[in-house]
Amino acid sequence: MTADRDVTSQHAGDLVVGRNEPGPTDRSLEDDARRAAVIERYHVLLQPPRSDLQALVDIAAQVADVPLATINLITDTEQHQIAVTGFDAAVCSREDSMCAGVLHEPEPVIVADASQDPRFADNPFVNGEIGDVRFYATHQLRTPEGVTIGTLCVFDTVARSLTDEQEHSLVRLADRVVDVLELELRSRELQRSVSALEQARAELERSNEQLTAFAGQVAHDLRNPLSAIVMSLDLVDEQIREEVADPVTAAGLTFVMGRAVNGAGRMQVLIEDLLAYARLGGDLRRTTVDLDSVLQEVLADLASALADADVHAEALPVVHGDRSQLRAVLQNLLANSAKFHAAGERARIEVRSESLGDLVRIEVVDHGLGVPEEDRSRVFEPLARAHEDVAGSGIGLATVRRIVDAHRGSIGITETPGGGTTVWVELPV
């Protein structure tokens, strides 16, 4: 090989199109800026050659049966050889890049003898000034958005041609180059998204812990003053009954006092529910829990609330969890089902379970008022209520979800066929 051929073998990717090209148009400047921005996202220009890209360029040389091949990425000013076969990778100015001159072509450019092609005959890497390149084939690299970012280029110092099968294989390889770049880009974007989600989740957990602690502290601090208020109201009510002689006046005062006592009572219930919400779902004391035994205890405790309800309960399975907290789950769900029934009708409640491999699904089914679909997520939030005309604090389902989340389970609401609410809970066995 002559000295000129040595230069060609070392810098064969630094091919030129001709140095008298017309000046750039506004459109070409816009395309260049877009191309440079896309290339920047791939993070390959300043990195060591990647093994996956090197493997593709090696295959390209083998497919074309040539000694020289490269993957070029072309910015607005430079050509970067990010993987090469048969010579050392280099960076050259864009005006000295043969591939830069054919980026706009809609199809691959294949030239049997570049010295006979007017586009390349005066190129210094073709006319002997620097090299003696003859066979030249370049396959554009187009992103899914249609941006041509460079080429997969194969060439030789002797004239030759490609078969149809070789051409098709090189086109597919060019597509694979883009796929590899896109896959790495999407992997990085996914990793950033995962990291952002993890940070958001950690921040949400921290905020929830602070909110829960605050709710518990406020409820605790309110309980004693409220107890004093209730006691005082009871004393005042007693004095009214004993000391006010006028029955009309006594009746009016008694009515007002009754409303005050009832309001204080509702506040006490809300405070107790807030304390339960803050307390439950925290540290778990995990043991083997016979849910059927827990259910029987709950049914006994709710005997008064369920006196006007028809309850059908199947045997429940054994799970691993905190017995007292899972008891609170069943108690809240059954109490809710007993409350939310149509006026004048008996509540009908069913408790059943289903094995789902390493999970067990428990359903508490009622045929009452139901929960509108748009409210089925909201009712698990603290103080949220689907039916304002039914007494309650709006803490029960929030407490249930907090306990289920702590057990690494899941919870949801569906409509009971024929009307009503089915609350399902899935727990690890």
Side-chain angles (χ1 to χ4, degrees), residues 292 295-296 299 306 308-316 330 334 337-338 346-353 362-367:
D292 196 56
L295 176 61
Q296 300 311 313
L299 291 174
L306 297 174
D308 295 326
D310 297 324
V311 181
H312 174 72
E314 298 178 358
L316 297 185
L330 292 175
L334 283 164
S337 293
R346 288 178 64 84
R348 291 184 294 133
I349 306 170
E350 301 155 29
V351 183
R352 59 199 183 200
S353 66
I362 301 162
E363 294 181 344
V364 177
V365 182
D366 68 50
H367 302 270

Side-chain angles (χ1 to χ4, degrees), residues 245-410:
D246 180 28
V248 175
T249 302
L253 291 174
T254 299
F255 173 76
V256 172
M257 290 304 301
R259 294 189 63 179
V261 170
N262 288 338
R266 289 194 297 272
M267 182 64 70
Q268 280 185 315
V269 171
L270 176 58
I271 288 174
E272 293 301 324
D273 286 345
L274 281 171
L275 283 171
Y277 175 75
R279 192 167 53 242
L280 297 174
D283 293 334
L284 303 180
R285 297 179 180 178
R286 293 183 180 272
T287 60
T288 298
V289 181
D290 181 352
L291 288 180
D292 196 56
S293 173
V294 173
L295 176 61
Q296 300 311 313
E297 294 177 9
V298 169
L299 291 174
D301 288 347
L302 294 177
S304 296
L306 297 174
D308 295 326
D310 297 324
V311 181
H312 174 72
E314 298 178 358
L316 297 185
V318 173
V319 298
H320 191 67
D322 187 303
R323 192 179 195 281
S324 64
Q325 298 205 27
L326 292 176
R327 187 178 187 279
V329 169
L330 292 175
Q331 184 158 334
N332 274 286
L333 295 183
L334 283 164
N336 269 1
S337 293
K339 282 195 302 184
F340 294 98
H341 62 88
E345 295 184 6
R346 288 178 64 84
R348 291 184 294 133
I349 306 170
E350 301 155 29
V351 183
R352 59 199 183 200
S353 66
E354 177 185 2
S355 176
L356 302 174
D358 57 353
L359 296 174
V360 62
R361 182 183 178 99
I362 301 162
E363 294 181 344
V364 177
V365 182
D366 68 50
H367 302 270
L369 301 178
V371 178
E373 185 174 357
E374 62 271 18
D375 290 334
R376 290 175 191 167
S377 295
R378 186 181 64 84
V379 293
F380 290 108
E381 300 172 2
L383 304 180
R385 300 174 63 194
H387 300 281
E388 297 293 336
D389 54 337
V390 178
S393 64
I395 299 295
L397 285 178
T399 301
V400 169
R401 184 177 71 170
R402 180 168 164 78
I403 295 171
V404 171
D405 287 347
H407 281 78
R408 303 299 182 190
S410 54

